[in-house]
Amino acid sequence: MTTKSITEMPSVSYGATIWRLIKSFGLLRESWVGMIGAFLVLFWVFVAIFAPLIAPFDPNAAIQPFATPGVVSASGKTFWMGTDHMGRDILSRIIWGSQTVLFYAPIATVCAYAVGISMGLMAGYRGGLVDDILSRIADIVLSFPVLVLYIIVIATIGSSGFNIVIAITFASSPGIMRIVRGLVLDLRNRDYVASAQTRGESDWRIMLFEILPNARGPLIVDACLRLGYVIITIGVLGFLGLGLPPPDPDWGGMVNETRQMAMVFPHMTLFPCIAISSLILGFNLLADGLREISLRD
Amino acid sequence: MILLLSKRIGFMIFTMIIVSMILFLLLETGLTGDPATRVLGNFASDEQKELWRDQHGYNQPVVIRYTQWLGNFATGELGTSIRYKSPVKDVLLPRLWNTAILGFWTFAIMIPLSLTLGVLSGMKEGSLLDRTISVFGILTTSVPEFASAVFFSALFVFGLKWLPGTSSMSSGFDFKQLILPTMVLVVYDFGYVARMTRASMAEVMTSQYIRSAVLKGLPYRQVIIRHALRNALIAPFTVIMLQINWLLSGVIVVEFFFAYKGFGALLLEASLNNDIALLEACAMVAVVVAVTSQTLADIGYTFLNPRIRFS
């Protein structure tokens, strides 16, 4: 493969794809459901980026235990969402917790997609024995109850951010593989693939530059839904006490630590739950809006 | 037909064997840490560990150990739980029964609810009713089980004081304690089934036989009940069977939250306490339930849908 043939590539380039992507996000205006979703997601992204500036307190500092929402601290600042049993400001922990979620969830999703897309492209494009083996592996992993899988994997290898990413990649790449495989089976008989084969392009080049860009629509919608689902998973693991090790704030973990006190101090569990639900809702509404738009044209 | 059946059942057994191998590798070999340390704790001396390994046959070759282990499993010899100091079977069965009760009520409420909503919104795609139901479905599936458990407890336990906040059933079976766990599971799961029913119903409504039935002058009600429903409910059957797999995950969260003495809480407890024999038994039960329900879904689908039966 020489550099000349790269410049001669007639089909979509990734720059153009990205530009078209941005434009299709602009189309979201037409779907109010999608707009609300985008707003919720962007809100949390901003909160995560500017966490050091917004958070009124240090998220791990024990200031005043069991303060209810609205209580004013000794330093004159208000605990808008109260404090937890260790005296840490809940608002600040939620703000810093958004960083944790929006760091690990996209990484886990991207890893799952990298594995799922390569498996799906190979299974769909090559077919035959490769397809059979990969599909069987996917069937087996998908038949396992997901949370049971996470619990066993994390109970045996220990809980850390890295292990959570591995567990999520392992459990969700087969689903992505199935979607990609289906799309490739449809796309591989198109004329532009045939012409690329005639030009003598390598299989990988055809898969990555001819087929994949044309399969992006359904994959983007799926990625939004999957991000929401990965956030649920990270939250649930935190809630079960298998999430990120303390003391760094993690929304699911916050609920786990304070759920025993929920009958007396409901604010401790209520606010982290609102935070995580609103972020997941954002991704799901965004996916719904994008799907609606992609069906329209 | 027989070929298809045997193929499905063969794959089911194959999956279970592969999963049992993975479980064995993860929990019984040194791959992820010494099992002797896991059972005896970090402070056991090397001699104690060696003695333990010898007594429990851990010094034999892996293949022999796996075969013995699998044989024990197949014959129902599940070993002893370290935490409960009693045979795993005695611990497991009552817990499974409790979860079955929870699962039964969840399905008994979720299935009629999601099918009705799905059919209603699929009847007229894009209508106001359709949009309302689908946005409502997105809303409920966006709230993780532990969050909706928190919301419901805040409302019904803390706020209105109608329902008990824990479901440990410590003083005998109490139906009131079952309400909140069931509610959480239904709310999280019904959105997905409703969405699938809607898609299936919407597809049927665009088919030619529905158009003919309408053009023939049949009342709309009759078109829906006699012609559309029977065909639209085939796909949701599979989805509902697959939902059992999801329910297993949900059950862990809900039972942990409400301290319900069920199978999910037991599995979590076993994994947090390194109770290997119990964890293995729980995981195998989960896999058997999941794989069996999937196989039944596949076979049932073939029976319900004559179009794919002979292809």
Side-chain angles (χ1 to χ4, degrees):
Chain A
M1 190 58 44
T2 59
T3 40
K4 191 158 172 274
S5 67
I6 295 173
T7 49
E8 274 173 5
M9 282 254 312
S11 63
V12 265
S13 74
Y14 276 98
T17 310
I18 291 168
W19 174 237
R20 230 171 287 162
L21 251 175
I22 295 169
K23 272 207 294 194
S24 66
F25 273 103
L27 282 174
L28 265 182
R29 280 195 309 272
E30 291 167 30
S31 151
W32 62 270
V33 170
M35 281 295 281
I36 296 175
F39 172 77
L40 282 171
V41 171
L42 284 178
F43 170 77
W44 281 114
V45 170
F46 274 110
V47 169
I49 292 173
F50 296 110
L53 300 176
I54 310 172
F57 295 95
D58 175 357
N60 290 325
I63 307 162
Q64 182 187 340
F66 301 107
T68 45
V71 168
V72 181
S73 75
S75 59
K77 282 186 282 188
T78 316
F79 298 116
W80 292 111
M81 294 182 181
T83 59
D84 64 6
H85 59 300
M86 291 169 77
R88 298 172 295 191
D89 179 46
I90 290 177
L91 177 62
S92 307
R93 283 181 75 71
I94 287 178
I95 291 173
W96 280 96
S98 68
Q99 270 194 351
T100 321
V101 171
L102 287 172
F103 178 72
Y104 285 109
I107 287 186
T109 314
V110 166
C111 288
Y113 263 87
V115 176
I117 285 179
S118 2
M119 282 171 71
L121 285 174
M122 275 206 286
Y125 189 70
R126 292 265 167 79
L129 188 65
V130 182
D131 184 19
D132 279 347
I133 294 174
L134 287 176
S135 297
R136 278 297 94 87
I137 295 176
D139 283 346
I140 290 173
V141 177
L142 284 176
S143 70
F144 217 103
V146 194
L147 194 55
V148 177
L149 189 73
Y150 288 138
I151 289 178
I152 292 170
V153 170
I154 289 183
T156 45
I157 63 178
S159 78
S160 72
F162 182 68
N163 289 349
I164 289 176
V165 170
I166 290 182
I168 288 174
T169 306
F170 181 69
S172 42
S173 50
I176 300 167
M177 179 224 146
R178 271 195 187 171
I179 297 172
V180 176
R181 177 179 171 274
L183 292 167
V184 174
L185 283 180
D186 175 41
L187 292 172
R188 72 169 177 189
N189 297 322
R190 298 288 170 90
D191 286 344
Y192 53 79
V193 176
S195 80
Q197 283 165 342
T198 323
R199 281 200 303 275
E201 291 187 9
S202 72
D203 281 359
W204 275 110
R205 174 163 282 277
I206 293 174
M207 287 183 215
L208 288 178
F209 289 92
E210 309 286 341
I211 295 179
L212 190 56
N214 288 293
R216 68 183 184 279
L219 287 182
I220 292 167
V221 174
D222 180 70
C224 273
L225 284 177
R226 214 166 279 276
L227 258 170
Y229 189 65
V230 168
I231 294 170
I232 293 188
T233 307
I234 294 178
V236 165
L237 287 175
F239 167 71
L240 294 177
L242 298 166
L244 301 162
D248 279 338
D250 151 43
W251 293 344
M254 289 169 73
V255 181
N256 178 38
E257 286 165 22
T258 54
R259 68 192 181 90
Q260 308 284 4
M261 287 156 275
M263 291 308 117
V264 194
F265 299 105
H267 68 270
M268 293 180 186
T269 47
L270 215 46
F271 290 116
C273 285
I274 293 174
I276 194 169
S277 305
S278 66
L279 180 58
I280 298 160
L281 183 66
F283 278 113
N284 285 349
L285 290 178
L286 188 60
D288 195 62
L290 288 175
R291 189 193 296 117
E292 201 184 317
I293 289 162
S294 68
L295 286 179
R296 206 176 289 157
D297 47 48
Chain B
M1 193 67 217
I2 290 169
L3 183 77
L4 186 119
L5 270 179
S6 47
K7 234 181 174 172
R8 281 303 315 175
I9 292 173
F11 181 66
M12 178 173 107
I13 293 168
F14 177 68
T15 309
M16 287 180 192
I17 289 176
I18 296 283
V19 169
S20 72
M21 280 182 191
I22 296 173
L23 267 183
F24 183 81
L25 283 178
L26 278 177
L27 297 171
E28 292 274 346
T29 63
L31 199 68
T32 54
D34 186 9
T37 318
R38 206 172 282 152
V39 171
L40 299 175
N42 283 326
F43 303 108
S45 71
D46 286 346
E47 288 128 50
Q48 279 175 315
K49 285 184 201 164
E50 193 50 44
L51 193 69
W52 186 85
R53 270 189 220 115
D54 218 41
Q55 274 175 352
H56 294 81
Y58 275 82
N59 288 332
Q60 283 168 318
V62 173
V63 183
I64 294 179
R65 274 176 51 214
Y66 173 71
T67 329
Q68 281 175 347
W69 181 80
L70 198 66
N72 284 345
F73 243 107
T75 50
E77 196 62 48
L78 299 177
T80 314
S81 156
I82 310 164
R83 186 171 159 74
Y84 288 90
K85 309 255 184 300
S86 57
V88 166
K89 223 187 292 178
D90 298 351
V91 183
L92 192 58
L93 287 179
R95 295 295 197 106
L96 269 177
W97 175 245
N98 284 344
T99 297
I101 297 174
L102 184 60
F104 170 79
W105 284 108
T106 307
F107 274 97
I109 296 166
M110 184 192 73
I111 294 174
L113 182 74
S114 54
L115 290 185
T116 316
L117 289 180
V119 166
L120 279 179
S121 62
M123 259 167 23
K124 251 202 186 134
E125 217 181 341
S127 65
L128 183 67
L129 183 68
D130 176 28
R131 285 309 286 165
T132 318
I133 291 176
S134 73
V135 169
F136 183 63
I138 295 175
L139 191 73
T140 55
T141 37
S142 298
V143 182
E145 287 107 337
F146 70 87
S148 52
V150 163
F151 295 146
F152 287 145
S153 321
L155 181 63
F156 293 109
V157 184
F158 183 79
L160 300 168
K161 296 193 172 25
W162 283 354
L163 296 167
T166 54
S167 311
S168 55
M169 311 269 173
S170 42
S171 49
F173 184 79
D174 180 6
F175 196 75
K176 253 185 150 176
Q177 298 188 4
L178 210 56
I179 297 176
L180 276 180
T182 313
M183 204 148 87
V184 170
L185 288 173
V186 169
V187 163
Y188 184 69
D189 280 344
F190 91 89
Y192 184 69
V193 182
R195 198 187 297 183
M196 291 295 134
T197 314
R198 173 191 174 273
S200 167
M201 186 70 184
E203 197 193 320
V204 167
M205 290 307 281
T206 58
S207 63
Q208 307 213 333
Y209 55 83
I210 296 295
R211 200 184 57 182
S212 323
V214 172
L215 291 180
K216 204 158 70 171
L218 285 181
Y220 192 62
R221 202 185 168 74
Q222 202 177 341
V223 174
I224 297 289
I225 294 173
R226 302 258 318 254
H227 296 255
L229 273 187
R230 286 172 61 177
N231 291 294
L233 293 182
I234 297 174
F237 167 77
T238 319
V239 177
I240 288 169
M241 289 303 281
L242 296 182
Q243 209 66 20
I244 292 178
N245 207 336
W246 284 87
L247 196 70
L248 275 173
S249 298
V251 147
I252 298 176
V253 174
V254 166
E255 288 179 356
F256 177 62
F257 188 94
F258 292 106
Y260 186 75
K261 291 215 163 24
F263 167 74
L266 187 70
L267 192 150
L268 185 69
E269 212 178 307
S271 90
L272 292 177
N273 292 300
N274 278 322
D275 194 340
I276 305 287
L278 192 57
L279 180 58
E280 285 167 353
C282 287
M284 275 319 271
V285 167
V287 170
V288 168
V289 169
V291 178
T292 313
S293 66
Q294 276 161 40
T295 310
L296 285 178
D298 262 20
I299 295 171
Y301 188 73
T302 337
F303 269 106
L304 290 174
N305 192 347
R307 272 171 299 187
I308 61 164
R309 196 177 302 166
F310 300 105
S311 60

